[in-house]
Amino acid sequence: MRSGLAAPEEKLHSPHNPLGDLRFKFPWRSYQQRVLDELTDHLDDAQLHVVAAPGSGKTVLGLEVMRRLGKPALIFAPSLAIRNQWKARLVDLFLEEGADESWVSLNIREPKFLTISTYQGLHAALSGESDEEGCSVRIEREDLFSTYRDLGVETLVFDEAHHLRKEWHNSLVELQTSLSQDTRTVSLTATPPYDCEAAEWARYESLCGVVDCEISVPELVKSGDLCPHQDLVCFSAPTGPDADFIRSFAKDLNGFAYDLLRNGEFLSDLSGMPWFKVPEEFEDEIFRNAEFFLAGLVFLKAAGHTLPPAALELFSVQSTDLPDLDRSFLERLLTGVICDEPEFHFRQTGIQDKLVAHLRSIGGLKRGRPQLDDLDEVNKRLRNSLGKIESIRKIVAAETSSLTTSLRMVILTDCIRRDQMPKPGQRKFTPEKIGVVPLFETLRDKGPYQYELGVLTGSLVILPARAEKSFCAIAERKGISRENILSKPLRHDGDYVEVELRGPLAHEMVHVVTEVFQQGEITILVGTQSLLGEGWDAPSINSLILASVVGSYMLSNQMRGRAIRIDPDAPDKVANIWHLACVTLPQKENAFLKAADNLRYPGRLFSTPPWNAIRPGLGADSDLLVRRFRAFEGLTVMEPTRVETGLGRLGFADVNWDVDGLEETNGATFAR
């Protein structure tokens, strides 16, 4: 078993060891001090693995651990922006002004005492693929690893370690294996891949080690290391062609179900199936096809048939225990009839061909299998509904009215959509899809509200023209010469300029624009979640809109973490984190519902019963919210107030999901 620290403190002051000159300039936060006090114990397996929320100070903790270990180090980050942020933290928080930085390298191919790289940079150097900066020079593994050994590298720092599930994992394992047996790893993340497969978790843990210390968000808020914050959801309904398509499919599906519930031939075939007539003789087949069998019972009950007691007894249920028929049960039933083992019984009657033809005519088939419960086209239209843009306008209006000039809002979305930029002379802008450019163009029409709007992506940066002077001043302070700053007015609006950086310091663009934002020259910044959703640090953010379809635990929690950092310049900061959801709503007038009621069938094929405090049948966006909120801790809106995870804490269980109910729910959210 190896000791936790490589060298006593006095050895750090060797003239050949620049780490001896480092000192953190501020007091440690309580959890950071706790980790440092227990460092030797945590490193008894040569691995330190810390889990803490975004904004909790993992970067400076990693730098201090590296300093105390006192050995040449490689630090790996998931993006260029985060790589550069590591060096910025080192220079600003550990080095005296004007101190020598020549021992730090940002190039994995030209390592120094401390080398800060991206995971992709190492992988590209070993494979010959292009890295983020366009370099594709392949280096022989042994040559590169030999260079690291000659430098004496014995510390590896893995930032945002959850990324090590990717192909980068293999490159790092090779690197780790090639180094000294005394090498120690420091793994930092806010979002371990808890939701991955067991084998994948085992690979992750073998590289990073077991979790040594996990700090919860409520603890960090209580201690003042993260700001108070709340999650809010703004709902919308589909609009225009999306609403027409969804309404048409719902009507067709309801009509199909109504016809099937009255189809004597189908009901006779189903109820006459030996599995339902003498289930005790077909137990093996029934339990192999339990979903079909239960769906059959639900369907027969909805059609008003008396269910055979033996079939109910097989599953120890009463007829009253069976739920109402919905899209999910109908899909399971038809899948068995058309595709799976039960289909042999229906093959003889010829009804399969009729069902297939009818399903195909309403768009209810995918690759020959029924698809009614989770229709891809409906989900796509809900996720990308333009109704969300109107939700964003409402949020901007509310936040601007509340915070005025202190507003620092960031809107994160998935695509830039530069092709939607208006042409010169175009008078009216109509968004076609959600993206950075459509959101910028929509919000450029400010109406009665006052805010300063900007764009920050990897390939498109737009500033208010009045902010250009500040941008240039900040860039020049970072060593970027004026001739490397290019700007041009937008062709359709001279109040805005598109800017670009050239030269060796072009990668500083994110930092420069971030400072412009921090100063309030921009109060609403629209960007992509791929660039700004992880690792980006702008402490002033007090309002965040997640206009992204990302639903995974890791990525959504990383995006959310942009807003919960404390702001030294605003000690009373409280952040709002806005989530968007487009949901399907029942029509007020539906003749089929009335007819179905006469059949003792509720007819709500486009709405399923509540699950996890919200109806997934409202659409794919509600499913996404349920997945997101499983990972989020926060305060309940119901009394008594408690800290909980899950969407249920926002009180949507009792919402009447119609047009009026949606407006009332949004109204309560804005009031809160």
Side-chain angles (χ1 to χ4, degrees):
M1 193 167 290
R2 289 170 280 193
S3 102
L5 297 179
E9 189 75 14
E10 59 268 17
K11 189 173 180 180
L12 296 181
H13 294 280
S14 162
H16 304 293
N17 191 329
L19 298 181
D21 298 326
L22 302 185
R23 286 293 181 274
F24 185 54
K25 300 176 182 178
F26 301 96
W28 293 109
R29 297 175 183 177
S30 57
Y31 100 87
Q32 293 169 327
Q33 188 64 61
R34 186 164 75 245
V35 173
L36 295 172
D37 290 344
E38 300 169 353
L39 186 58
T40 299
D41 292 335
H42 291 322
L43 280 168
D44 62 1
D45 60 352
Q47 295 172 309
L48 172 66
H49 190 179
V50 177
V51 176
S56 55
K58 294 187 294 297
T59 301
V60 293
L61 178 63
L63 289 168
E64 176 65 13
V65 172
M66 177 199 71
R67 186 193 77 82
R68 295 192 180 196
L69 290 175
K71 295 291 185 178
L74 293 171
I75 297 176
F76 293 98
S79 69
L80 291 174
I82 301 176
R83 179 201 69 178
N84 298 338
Q85 185 173 289
W86 272 83
K87 183 176 180 182
R89 293 289 185 276
L90 176 71
V91 172
D92 295 342
L93 302 180
F94 285 84
L95 287 179
E96 295 299 326
E97 187 173 353
D100 177 31
E101 303 173 23
S102 63
W103 53 279
V104 181
S105 171
L106 298 181
N107 188 341
I108 193 70
R109 295 171 171 84
E110 299 176 5
K112 296 183 180 178
F113 192 97
L114 171 60
T115 304
I116 310 174
S117 174
T118 62
Y119 296 112
Q120 185 179 337
L122 174 66
H123 183 72
L126 298 178
S127 65
E129 298 176 7
S130 293
D131 62 18
E132 306 97 318
E133 296 177 301
C135 182
S136 59
V137 177
R138 184 177 183 275
I139 299 178
E140 291 298 327
R141 279 172 164 71
E142 188 50 40
D143 290 344
L144 190 61
F145 295 159
S146 177
T147 302
Y148 300 148
R149 287 195 298 270
D150 292 343
L151 279 169
V153 171
E154 290 186 8
T155 301
L156 299 177
V157 180
F158 303 142
D159 188 25
E160 308 293 0
H162 52 275
H163 285 284
L164 303 188
R165 304 163 64 197
K166 300 183 179 180
E167 67 270 15
W168 301 332
H169 176 276
N170 295 332
S171 298
L172 290 167
V173 169
E174 287 187 59
L175 169 63
Q176 184 184 35
T177 304
S178 74
L179 298 177
S180 162
Q181 290 297 308
D182 293 324
T183 300
R184 293 163 177 80
T185 62
V186 179
S187 302
L188 310 167
T189 183
T191 51
Y194 290 136
D195 52 353
C196 69
E197 298 294 331
E200 197 169 0
W201 175 262
R203 288 194 299 273
Y204 169 81
E205 200 173 59
S206 68
L207 186 61
C208 299
V210 298
V211 175
D212 292 293
C213 186
E214 185 165 5
I215 313 299
S216 72
V217 169
E219 177 185 351
L220 291 166
V221 172
K222 183 177 180 180
S223 67
D225 295 321
L226 293 178
C227 78
H229 54 275
Q230 59 181 341
D231 291 281
L232 304 163
V233 180
C234 187
F235 293 97
S236 60
T239 59
D242 296 332
D244 294 340
F245 177 89
I246 294 171
R247 188 180 301 115
S248 176
F249 178 75
K251 179 181 178 181
D252 290 342
L253 178 56
N254 284 339
F256 170 81
Y258 179 49
D259 290 343
L260 197 61
L261 285 163
R262 302 175 63 205
N263 189 318
E265 179 186 7
F266 179 73
L267 289 168
S268 177
D269 281 352
L270 182 63
S271 60
M273 189 178 179
W275 292 11
F276 291 97
K277 294 186 69 174
V278 284
E280 62 275 10
E281 298 180 13
F282 297 92
E283 287 190 10
D284 290 343
E285 293 90 337
I286 289 172
F287 284 115
R288 275 201 311 271
N289 298 273
E291 286 195 351
F292 163 80
F293 190 78
L294 289 170
L297 293 176
V298 168
F299 186 88
L300 290 171
K301 175 188 174 183
H305 278 225
T306 300
L307 302 181
L312 295 169
E313 186 177 341
L314 194 62
F315 284 87
S316 301
V317 297
Q318 302 293 322
S319 178
T320 53
D321 297 330
L322 294 175
D324 295 330
L325 180 64
D326 62 16
R327 292 173 296 159
S328 177
F329 281 117
L330 186 61
E331 182 181 301
R332 295 176 200 174
L333 175 69
L334 294 174
T335 298
V337 170
I338 295 171
C339 306
D340 294 339
E341 187 175 347
E343 67 90 21
F344 78 93
H345 171 77
F346 299 91
R347 191 186 311 156
Q348 305 166 5
T349 67
I351 199 169
Q352 291 170 317
D353 294 337
K354 298 176 185 176
L355 292 175
V356 168
H358 200 159
L359 286 171
R360 183 175 289 116
S361 71
I362 67 171
L365 277 183
K366 181 180 181 181
R367 299 187 183 93
R369 298 181 70 85
Q371 187 185 53
L372 307 176
D373 183 39
D374 194 24
L375 195 69
D376 289 346
E377 182 62 24
V378 170
N379 291 342
K380 178 181 176 182
R381 289 173 180 268
L382 290 174
R383 285 194 298 267
N384 300 297
S385 170
L386 296 180
K388 293 183 180 180
I389 293 183
E390 184 56 32
S391 292
I392 292 172
R393 288 186 67 96
K394 292 177 180 178
I395 295 169
V396 167
E399 294 281 38
T400 303
S401 299
S402 173
L403 296 173
T404 61
T405 58
S406 64
L407 175 66
R408 297 294 184 275
M409 174 184 283
V410 171
I411 306 173
L412 295 179
T413 188
D414 297 318
C415 302
I416 298 175
R417 307 211 187 275
R418 187 163 189 153
D419 60 308
Q420 292 194 40
M421 192 74 78
K423 304 297 185 291
Q426 181 177 334
R427 293 187 176 182
K428 184 178 180 182
F429 176 79
T430 303
E432 299 174 8
K433 296 180 180 179
I434 293 180
V436 171
V437 168
L439 290 175
F440 170 78
E441 289 299 325
T442 300
L443 296 176
R444 195 165 55 83
D445 178 10
K446 300 178 183 179
Y449 304 101
Q450 298 299 314
Y451 50 81
E452 299 298 332
L453 182 64
V455 164
L456 177 56
T457 74
S459 61
L460 177 65
V461 177
I462 300 174
L463 307 174
R466 67 182 67 180
E468 184 178 3
K469 183 177 179 180
S470 294
F471 175 89
C472 293
I474 295 168
E476 290 175 2
R477 285 203 305 271
K478 293 183 177 293
I480 301 170
S481 61
R482 190 64 182 85
E483 56 267 24
N484 284 326
I485 303 173
L486 307 179
S487 67
K488 59 181 179 181
L490 289 188
R491 293 183 297 174
H492 57 287
D493 190 338
D495 289 336
Y496 293 89
V497 294
E498 182 178 345
V499 296
E500 181 181 351
L501 294 183
R502 293 184 178 176
L505 296 178
H507 59 263
E508 292 286 349
M509 176 65 86
V510 171
H511 292 117
V512 176
V513 177
T514 300
E515 285 198 36
V516 175
F517 175 74
Q518 291 281 108
Q519 293 177 4
E521 301 278 355
I522 298 171
T523 58
I524 298 179
L525 187 62
V526 186
T528 53
Q529 61 88 10
S530 59
L531 180 67
L532 306 179
E534 178 179 12
W536 177 55
D537 188 4
S540 63
I541 298 172
N542 51 25
S543 182
L544 175 69
I545 301 178
L546 302 184
S548 166
V549 298
V550 166
S552 76
Y553 164 73
M554 292 190 300
L555 290 179
S556 55
N557 205 33
Q558 286 289 338
M559 287 190 290
R560 188 170 173 264
R562 300 314 98 208
I564 64 179
R565 285 168 161 76
I566 57 174
D567 183 1
D569 296 327
D572 295 329
K573 169 187 164 182
V574 175
N576 288 333
I577 303 166
W578 291 90
H579 306 259
L580 308 177
C582 183
V583 297
T584 57
L585 300 175
Q587 302 302 303
K588 291 186 176 181
E589 296 296 328
N590 191 325
F592 167 67
L593 298 186
K594 297 176 182 178
D597 283 340
N598 295 331
L599 292 169
R600 296 190 295 146
Y601 170 62
R604 289 164 55 177
L605 284 174
F606 230 67
S607 239
T608 58
W611 172 69
N612 201 8
I614 193 168
R615 295 172 180 167
L618 291 170
D621 267 6
S622 63
D623 296 342
L624 181 147
L625 286 181
V626 168
R627 291 199 304 275
R628 276 186 182 175
F629 274 76
R630 285 174 183 160
F632 297 163
E633 300 158 307
L635 297 176
T636 61
V637 301
M638 303 84 68
E639 296 294 340
T641 302
R642 296 179 296 181
V643 175
E644 290 184 358
T645 59
L647 192 60
R649 65 182 173 86
L650 295 188
F652 297 137
D654 299 324
V655 173
N656 181 24
W657 290 106
D658 56 21
V659 174
D660 294 337
L662 183 148
E663 291 301 322
E664 290 174 6
T665 300
N666 283 343
T669 297
F670 282 113
R672 186 164 62 249

